[in-house]
Amino acid sequence: MRFDAAGLRKEFPILSREFDGKRLVYLDNPATTQKPRAVIDAVSRFYEHSNANVHRGAYRLAEESTAAYEGAREKVRGFLNAASVEEIIFTRGATESINLVAYAWGRKHVAEGDEIVLTEMEHHSNLVPWQLLAQEKKAVLRFVPVENDGTIDVTRAAALITPRTRLVSMTQVSNVLGTINPVRRIAELARERGALLLVDGAQSVPHMAVDVRDIGCDFFVLSGHKMLAPTGIGALYVRKAVLETMPPFHGGGDMIRQVFLDHATWNDLPWKFEAGTPNFADAVGLAAAIDFLSAVGLDALQEHERALTGYAIGRLGEMAGVTLYGPRDVALRGGVVSFNVEGVHPHDLATILDRESAVAIRAGHHCAQPLMKRLNVAATARAGFYLYNVEEDIDRLVEGIHKAEEIFKT
Amino acid sequence: MSLEGLYQEIILDHYKAPRNRGSVENPDIDIFESNPLCGDEIRIQAKLDGRTIQDIRFEGKGCSISLASASMMTEALKGHAHDHAHKYIDGIKAMMHGEDKLNDEELGDMEALKGVADFPARVKCALLAWTTLEKALNDRAARKG
Ligand SMILES: Cc1ncc(COP(=O)(O)O)c(C=O)c1O
């Protein structure tokens, strides 16, 4: 059966918007995705029908909201195939999840001289928290280089992961290059050398089937807003044996068992790591997003994006002034395409695409400044595809690039 | 607001053939700044003679708006006094809110930057050179007490 992206698009109210009479073509999906009616309605319905603070209420409404919140946790567990809901912590997103690990796990388990292995393609959110930890602990950061084809070389990674390595932390899919990293093999390497592995799933879990036990990672992070869910909700998976060794992150209500004037004891997993009133309404939205994605089918979605990526690389690749970044083999990448147009700065390109063709793309460093240095560019333009994009969107992109070349007469 | 209002010939001309690009020997002002949003970079160097900007040059990586604006700035300020620089800095900032503080004669080529006010996402680009120079002048004034 053909993937019905045009039909799915109708489920997204915002995608019927027009600018200057042109249908909005939204290609800024790696930054955030649009929301289907089902997610918007799930959140509205929660507020209209079930809203009450979770975990403490002795009345039926609070029981309902608690059930909805804990049901969302079970939904995330199932989506990632984690062993237990005790391993799923709700956070604000990938960034907060990584900071939680750096603070609660890192400050306990990383000491002077220990090493943390990252890659050169990490988003700032999977780099800066480790810089802060390394500075505090006098630990050392090591980087798996990005090869010229936009991939990482497992042999070079293997050489960097040593018995001094406490943690390897890397993205599963690059938000700039689209590269899919071989996290399963990295997990084996880490395990052999006694290191843990954190996988940044912000750009993978929205677009492909993920199984944290199959990967064999110890930590996995995601952001809801990049997978059809509301902003402000995300999750962290931590393998239970690791989570049990971690002290709390934030202190406050809900994360405690008993509180005395001078000390406190901790709640059970996972609530020990969720201080204060959690974002239960948006967790319900995340559960609805997972239902939506599951109904579409992650394998079919990945295939659809792969076809679009192949089409985009083909069309852009035949333009004389366009430089493409990332692997040429679409089997090695997700639906993110970064490029530059000779003589036209990405910002100018983004402005022209918007005003001329109602095409929304991103221009800049994509929160990956070290990768920009590695690619020897100040910035790139980036188009990222999702379940509601069609080939015509890429035609509109190409048409807009031609217009930009005309304005700049390159 | 049309794209033509933003990408006027004069802007594209300054972008493709920037004036006063390069560095200054023994500069009195030497400042590097980047735009954290987009990574655009600029380095401004200037030679002062008393309160006069004897020479001013820039290097940078950026979009047409930020580089054209920097190029126009060096043209407008070279050979003029500090006070003149502050007047222009204020004037260009006001222009980005659609306010006319400088007349057409004072503006010269910079009149072309008026179109940027209709593109809020690009205002930071147009102002990068100006706010960077302002910072350098203020830092220098503060050091001198
Ligand atoms: C690979 C990757 N990691 C982490 C993040 C951070 O996500 P958030 O800003 O939702 O916390 C992003 C967002 O762009 C990303 O692309």
Side-chain angles (χ1 to χ4, degrees), chain A residues 30-31 93-96 98 123 125 171 173 175 200 202-203 223 225-226:
Chain A
T95 302
E96 189 177 68
I98 295 171
H123 188 279
S125 63
T171 193
V173 173
N175 67 316
D200 176 354
Q203 299 293 346
S223 280
H225 70 95
K226 293 183 197 285

Side-chain angles (χ1 to χ4, degrees), chain A residues 343-345 347-353 355-356 363-365 369 373 377-379 403 407-410, chain B residues 1 3-4 6-7 9 12 15-16 35-40 61-65 118-120 122 125:
Chain A
V344 186
H345 189 277
H347 267 187
D348 293 315
L349 181 65
T351 297
I352 294 167
L353 280 167
R355 300 291 171 129
E356 198 60 37
H365 53 61
Q369 287 182 2
K373 287 219 172 63
V377 294
K403 175 72 188 182
I407 289 177
F408 280 82
K409 293 188 186 65
T410 53
Chain B
M1 182 66 196
L3 277 176
E4 286 68 29
L6 183 66
Y7 294 114
E9 272 311 315
L12 296 177
Y15 175 52
K16 290 176 185 174
N35 178 344
L37 298 176
C38 60
D40 280 5
K61 285 188 215 157
C63 63
S64 61
I65 308 299
D118 292 314
F119 293 77
R122 306 305 298 277
C125 311

